[in-house]
Amino acid sequence: MANIRPYRETDKYNVQRICLQTVNDESVFEGLDRFNADFLLPVYNDYYTEQEPENCFVCTDENDTAVGYVICSEDVKKWRRIFMKEYFPRIRHKHLGNRTTAIAEIIAHSLFARRYPAHLHIDILKEYRGGGTGTKLIETLADHLAEKGICGIQLCVGNENKKAIRFYKRCGFKTLANF
């Protein structure tokens, strides 16, 4: 099993690479269409590592290189405010469907923010999945948030992603809504 530790600024490139590579396990960071990177990183990665690095954890290999992560905002209202001011403008020029996806995620998280004020994103390179790595990342984050007095955490997952839904249910998450 890989090591879990707090995120460091030196992990940024690898965390971004993981974000892009896990969108489609066949894609590679260097070859990915910049249109996708210019949308995916501001929406699903950069806010968390730039604004709340203390709520980010990485899974590392034997060389201490990040091969997975869980990144989190502890306060949906704060995330929404900063995201709309600093990160949404980065994707404003992108395809309407991408902007709609970002807005839908904001709305979905906002609906449940009172009971579940934090939200997460988790990605692990394919070859490091299984063996409890994802569970350990989520447990590490949950313990960290509990120490801060944060009582609930949420996430969004597509209805078609049955494998991820089973994983999240095993981790104790429950379905709040289907969109």
Side-chain angles (χ1 to χ4, degrees):
M1 183 171 180
N3 179 49
I4 308 294
R5 66 164 170 76
Y7 169 85
R8 299 178 194 143
E9 179 63 30
T10 56
D11 296 317
K12 187 172 183 89
Y13 173 83
N14 285 318
V15 169
Q16 289 177 327
R17 179 182 56 84
I18 294 162
C19 177
L20 297 174
Q21 195 168 345
T22 55
V23 168
N24 175 356
D25 286 310
E26 280 65 54
S27 65
V28 293
F29 183 62
E30 291 75 18
L32 194 69
D33 181 344
R34 287 302 308 165
F35 179 82
N36 290 330
D38 290 346
F39 169 73
L40 292 168
L41 294 178
V43 173
Y44 297 108
N45 192 281
D46 293 348
Y47 167 86
Y48 308 91
T49 60
E50 292 170 5
Q51 301 294 326
E52 299 189 53
E54 70 280 6
N55 295 320
C56 301
F57 297 88
V58 295
C59 166
T60 61
D61 66 11
E62 64 279 353
N63 298 314
D64 199 38
T65 300
V67 295
Y69 63 79
V70 63
I71 54 181
C72 173
S73 172
E74 66 184 54
D75 180 343
V76 168
K77 291 177 186 177
K78 173 187 167 190
W79 163 74
R80 182 179 60 221
R81 185 181 70 254
I82 295 171
F83 179 82
M84 290 305 292
K85 181 179 177 188
E86 297 183 29
Y87 295 86
F88 191 75
R90 297 181 195 178
I91 65 165
R92 192 178 313 262
H93 65 285
K94 298 298 174 194
H95 183 270
L96 176 62
N98 285 346
R99 290 192 314 260
T100 303
T101 297
I103 295 297
E105 187 137 337
I106 291 167
I107 292 168
H109 288 309
S110 297
L111 289 173
F112 305 102
R114 174 172 257 135
R115 190 162 180 197
Y116 304 97
H119 73 274
L120 68 83
H121 293 283
I122 183 171
D123 283 308
I124 303 167
L125 294 176
K126 195 175 198 174
E127 58 271 26
Y128 291 90
R129 294 180 194 159
T133 302
T135 302
K136 183 69 173 157
L137 278 166
I138 288 178
E139 288 172 348
T140 300
L141 176 63
D143 290 347
H144 168 76
L145 293 173
E147 288 175 11
K148 295 174 94 171
I150 298 166
C151 59
I153 188 164
Q154 59 173 298
L155 59 93
C156 292
V157 62
N159 287 326
E160 73 286 348
N161 196 344
K162 304 296 183 198
K163 188 174 181 179
I165 291 169
R166 284 191 304 273
F167 165 71
Y168 294 128
K169 285 186 177 186
R170 283 194 311 271
C171 289
F173 288 87
K174 62 183 178 180
T175 302
L176 300 174
N178 287 308
F179 298 106

